[in-house]
Amino acid sequence: MTVARPAYHVTELTVGQLSARSGVAVTALHFYESKGLIKSRRTPGNQRRYTRDTLRRISVIRVAQRMGIPLSTVRDALAELPEERTPTREDWARLSQRWRADLNERIEQLLALRDGLEDCIGCGCLSVRDCPLTNPYDELGEEGPGPRRLLREPTGAAARGRTRNAPAAEATAPVADPCGGVSTSCQGGATDPTD
């Protein structure tokens, strides 16, 4: 069954209308409501009714989810919006300001991922040509689990080999010779540090 788009003058939407207009499944809307992300009122017949500004809240939720922002963070931010009136541009500006630093950090991480994916990321696989040179014997594994270079790099290739909090002397220290100075195979690009 297709639900017609509600007329512009309709101030409350049924769950079907909200689903059709937002592109979000009814079950997802019920989930959002159970998590306190959106609210409805009940009619005398126990049917849900949503105010039109719920469409914007759902849009923000969906975009935030795509950006990897946890639903609990979205809920906390949406809780600061007014309940009795449609949020104004200023209300939304305040909300977006709260996420700006987090989004900038995520953008920085995505750029580092994009720019460094073809190089050694310090994950321990030692399968990329320069892994033996930039992560000999998986020394970065001593720092902890995961892709150590991606987790600590400020941005892309310009910062390779430097941690955010590393002293300047450490950032310019030469990379250890994975071959122990006895083999010339590493100079040719071999990926096995035991050659």
Side-chain angles (χ1 to χ4, degrees):
M1 175 176 92
T2 302
V3 178
R5 187 175 76 204
Y8 72 92
H9 64 279
V10 173
T11 59
E12 288 190 323
L13 307 174
T14 66
V15 70
Q17 290 171 323
L18 188 64
S19 174
R21 183 61 185 94
S22 67
V24 175
V26 169
T27 54
L29 296 174
H30 291 186
F31 175 77
Y32 290 163
E33 191 168 356
S34 74
K35 296 299 179 187
L37 294 160
I38 60 175
K39 290 174 75 174
S40 67
R41 74 167 184 87
R42 297 291 182 138
T43 67
N46 204 28
Q47 296 176 336
R48 289 179 168 95
R49 293 293 184 265
Y50 300 88
T51 57
R52 282 193 86 100
D53 64 288
T54 306
L55 287 167
R56 177 116 181 187
R57 290 173 188 258
I58 292 168
S59 297
V60 169
I61 294 165
R62 290 184 70 196
V63 171
Q65 282 183 296
R66 287 186 64 192
M67 297 297 139
I69 297 173
L71 286 179
S72 59
T73 302
V74 176
R75 182 192 59 233
D76 294 344
L78 291 176
E80 294 184 14
L81 293 176
E83 290 293 330
E84 301 303 318
R85 64 172 172 82
T86 302
T88 64
R89 174 174 268 166
E90 291 77 24
D91 293 327
W92 289 111
R94 275 193 310 279
L95 185 142
S96 68
Q97 188 62 34
R98 287 189 56 193
W99 290 345
R100 191 168 303 275
D102 185 42
L103 290 174
N104 285 337
E105 186 175 324
R106 288 174 189 273
I107 289 168
E108 191 175 292
Q109 291 170 346
L110 288 169
L111 290 172
L113 178 63
R114 181 199 67 193
D115 294 345
L117 211 48
E118 68 270 4
D119 296 327
C120 178
I121 60 173
C123 66
C125 75
L126 303 178
S127 65
V128 178
R129 181 174 168 229
D130 66 343
C131 285
L133 300 174
T134 59
N135 185 21
Y137 307 110
D138 189 26
E139 290 174 353
L140 292 174
E142 293 175 18
E143 292 181 14
R148 303 315 305 165
R149 294 174 103 33
L150 287 180
L151 294 175
R152 67 180 182 174
E153 275 186 348
T155 57
R160 266 195 229 320
R162 291 180 28 207
T163 62
R164 288 183 181 181
N165 300 321
E170 221 178 277
T172 58
V175 176
D177 179 2
C179 300
V182 292
S183 173
T184 57
S185 63
C186 289
Q187 295 169 356
T191 59
D192 184 0
T194 59
D195 282 347

